[in-house]
């Protein structure tokens, strides 16, 4: 059904699609019509939804196909950032006793001082000689392969010394969260991570990739804040490096970074609860389906709404998550704001 088949007023039209992809294609066709026939600009148009994770991917596929510039207003996880991979690799080395996988995951993270040729040569030597475990990594390299010259062995020994001396910071670290976090602070400072990430940011800006540049601008502070919070909450708790790594992973999983649009004339795609729309002339509200609009509250919590109200009345200053009723009113407010646009 086309948009014009179901007119409610001159301002509101309803379109039905059999799936999110079809919805977005109908939206894209209407956007092109507004641009070509009615003189709209892309910045005059916005698309909102209650299920941004689903419709974001549909918008990316369909809008690229229809050559519509767009910007998705959504915070992005940073799990694939090189600095996060670097931190996880360090944990892997320490938790798995200098395992082959952890060591070369760290060396290939693109944030170390070693170039790719050195890493490849070291990797071949480690595999050929069966070097594994901290005990062998901390012992001098004296074994030569059949095709190796003395100078080559000395160069590999220099690499070994550099790597193990960097990790020596953790040899004297205690078992509390505070001491482990302090060791990571010193390791990161020694590796000049802030400068390296700033250099990445500048290169991305020069290449016009502003979204990724902003990610690199924020990731260092976010990781430092995470370490600070762990010390504040669990400072004197004792744990293994593997348990500490689990805490870091949980924290990394929760870090989200906002991105910025690459220009000014684009269709904004966002979530009804997060996106604040500028002055627009046309708004497309997609995914208006049962369970999404209004959003289903899912399964109940540990306490009922009656218990929640009792606790709130019992003592002032107690902060609790919104009840189902409060969430329903909040969603009605968001719906009101969207529909009056």
């Amino acid at each position: 059904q086309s948009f014009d088949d179901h007119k409610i007023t001159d301002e509101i039209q309803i379109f039905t699609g059999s799936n999110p992809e079809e919805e977005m294609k109908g939206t894209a066709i209407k956007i092109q019509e507004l641009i070509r026939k009615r003189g709209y600009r892309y910045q005059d148009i916005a698309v909102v939804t209650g299920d941004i994770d689903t419709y974001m991917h549909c918008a990316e596929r369909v809008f690229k196909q229809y050559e519509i510039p767009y910007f998705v207003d959504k915070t992005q996880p940073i799990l694939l950032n090189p600095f996060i991979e670097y931190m996880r690799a360090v944990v892997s080395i320490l938790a798995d006793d200098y395992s082959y996988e952890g060591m070369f995951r760290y060396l290939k993270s693109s944030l170390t001082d070693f170039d790719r040729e050195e890493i490849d040569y070291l990797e071949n030597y480690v595999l050929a000689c069966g070097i594994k475990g901290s005990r062998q990594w901390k012992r001098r390299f004296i074994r030569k392969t059949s095709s190796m010259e003395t100078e080559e062995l000395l160069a590999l020994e220099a690499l070994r010394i550099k790597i193990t001396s960097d990790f020596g910071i953790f040899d004297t670290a205690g078992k509390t969260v505070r001491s482990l976090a302090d060791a990571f602070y010193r390791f990161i400072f020694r590796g000049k991570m802030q400068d390296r990430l700033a250099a990445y940011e500048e290169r991305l800006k020069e290449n016009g990739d502003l979204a990724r540049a902003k990610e690199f601008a924020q990731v260092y502070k976010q990781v430092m804040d995470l370490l600070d919070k762990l010390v504040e909450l669990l400072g004197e708790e004792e744990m293994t490096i593997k348990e500490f790594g689990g805490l870091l992973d949980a924290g990394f999983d929760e870090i989200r970074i906002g991105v910025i649009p690459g220009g000014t004339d684009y269709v904004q795609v966002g979530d009804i609860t997060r996106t604040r729309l500028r002055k627009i002339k046309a708004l497309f509200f997609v995914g208006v389906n049962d369970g999404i609009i209004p959003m289903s509250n899912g399964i109940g919590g540990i306490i009922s709404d009656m218990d929640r109200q009792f606790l709130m009345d019992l003592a002032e200053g107690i902060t609790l998550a919104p009840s189902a009723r409060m969430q329903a009113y909040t969603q009605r407010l968001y719906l009101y704001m969207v529909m009056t646009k």
Side-chain angles (χ1 to χ4, degrees):
Q1 297 168 328
S2 71
F3 274 94
D4 295 327
D5 287 343
H6 277 67
K7 282 193 174 182
I8 297 176
T9 70
D10 290 337
E11 282 72 37
I12 299 177
Q13 299 173 29
I14 294 178
F15 168 76
T16 57
S18 59
N19 54 55
E21 195 90 11
E22 189 176 321
E23 278 186 84
M24 292 309 303
K25 285 182 178 178
T27 300
I29 291 169
K30 187 66 177 180
I31 288 173
Q32 287 187 327
E33 179 187 322
L34 294 175
I35 297 295
R36 295 172 181 173
K37 296 183 180 180
R38 297 181 59 179
Y40 281 50
R41 299 181 65 187
Y42 291 112
Q43 65 185 22
D44 298 327
I45 302 168
V47 179
V48 295
T49 179
D51 184 8
I52 187 66
D53 290 326
T54 297
Y55 284 87
M56 172 182 69
H57 299 299
C58 289
E60 289 172 349
R61 290 192 298 271
V62 172
F63 285 179
K64 284 178 181 177
Q65 180 184 348
Y66 284 82
E67 299 182 346
I68 296 173
Y70 67 94
F71 168 68
V72 178
D73 181 24
K74 184 179 186 294
T75 56
Q76 301 290 343
I78 61 166
L79 292 178
L80 299 180
N81 186 278
F83 188 35
I84 302 302
E85 180 63 16
Y86 173 90
M87 294 287 287
R88 285 176 151 171
V90 171
V91 171
S92 178
I93 289 172
L94 299 170
D96 299 331
D97 191 35
Y98 286 53
S99 67
Y100 161 79
E101 292 80 5
M103 182 60 72
F104 287 95
R105 179 184 177 188
Y106 162 75
L107 293 173
K108 295 176 182 179
S109 66
S110 75
L111 290 174
T112 61
D113 284 326
F114 311 101
D115 62 43
R116 190 56 188 252
E117 187 176 346
E118 286 179 322
I119 295 169
D120 289 344
Y121 196 61
L122 178 62
E123 185 174 14
N124 289 337
Y125 179 78
V126 166
L127 290 172
C129 297
I131 294 170
K132 56 184 178 181
S134 59
R135 191 171 180 179
Q136 292 189 23
W137 272 98
K138 293 177 182 180
R139 185 182 299 163
R140 184 177 178 182
F141 287 172
I142 58 174
R143 182 178 171 186
K144 291 169 60 176
T145 61
S146 57
S147 59
M148 181 178 288
E149 299 293 333
T150 302
E151 292 77 11
E152 294 172 320
L153 182 62
L154 292 174
L156 289 171
E157 171 63 8
L159 286 177
R160 183 199 68 80
I161 292 172
K162 176 68 172 67
I163 295 167
T164 54
S165 64
D166 287 345
F167 279 90
I169 290 172
F170 295 98
D171 292 341
T172 56
K175 293 185 178 181
T176 65
V177 170
R178 185 181 304 278
S179 61
L180 290 170
D182 180 66
F184 272 96
Y185 286 134
R186 290 185 287 130
F187 188 85
I188 290 167
F189 181 76
R190 183 168 178 170
K192 300 179 181 178
M193 284 302 111
Q194 191 169 16
D195 293 338
R196 294 180 191 276
L197 293 169
Y200 262 102
E201 180 190 352
E202 288 304 314
R203 285 199 295 271
L204 289 165
K205 283 181 179 178
E206 290 171 3
N207 294 331
D209 192 348
L210 298 181
R212 287 279 287 167
K214 186 173 182 182
E215 177 185 321
F216 276 86
Q218 296 180 57
V219 67
Y220 182 83
K221 182 180 183 302
Q222 295 277 14
V223 172
M224 293 299 101
D225 287 347
L226 173 59
L227 289 172
D228 288 343
K229 288 176 183 176
L230 291 179
V231 172
E232 183 181 349
L233 294 170
L234 302 165
E236 304 312 317
E237 287 285 327
E238 291 193 0
M239 60 180 60
T240 64
I241 187 66
K242 190 170 186 178
E243 291 170 333
F244 186 78
L247 287 178
L248 286 178
D249 269 347
F252 294 152
D253 194 46
E254 292 300 317
I255 294 176
R256 296 289 186 274
I257 288 179
V259 295
I260 56 176
T264 56
D265 194 22
Y266 56 85
V267 175
Q268 185 170 357
V269 181
D271 184 276
I272 63 169
T273 61
R274 167 184 163 83
T275 304
R276 298 296 174 261
L277 301 171
R278 57 192 183 278
K279 294 180 180 179
I280 55 172
K281 296 179 181 178
L283 176 66
F284 295 86
F285 192 1
V286 296
V288 186
N289 300 330
D290 188 30
I292 299 176
I293 303 295
M295 186 178 295
S296 171
N297 289 321
I299 60 174
I302 295 174
I303 59 176
S304 67
D305 284 353
M306 185 178 297
D307 295 332
R308 189 186 305 273
Q309 189 61 48
F310 173 77
L311 288 172
M312 293 175 67
D313 294 339
L314 187 65
E316 295 182 3
I318 293 180
T319 302
L320 298 172
S323 65
R325 186 177 182 182
M326 292 168 66
Q327 290 178 17
Y329 281 124
T330 302
Q331 288 200 42
R332 287 179 66 181
L333 171 64
Y334 286 133
L335 284 170
Y336 173 81
M337 291 169 65
V338 167
M339 296 308 295
T340 52
K341 278 289 178 180

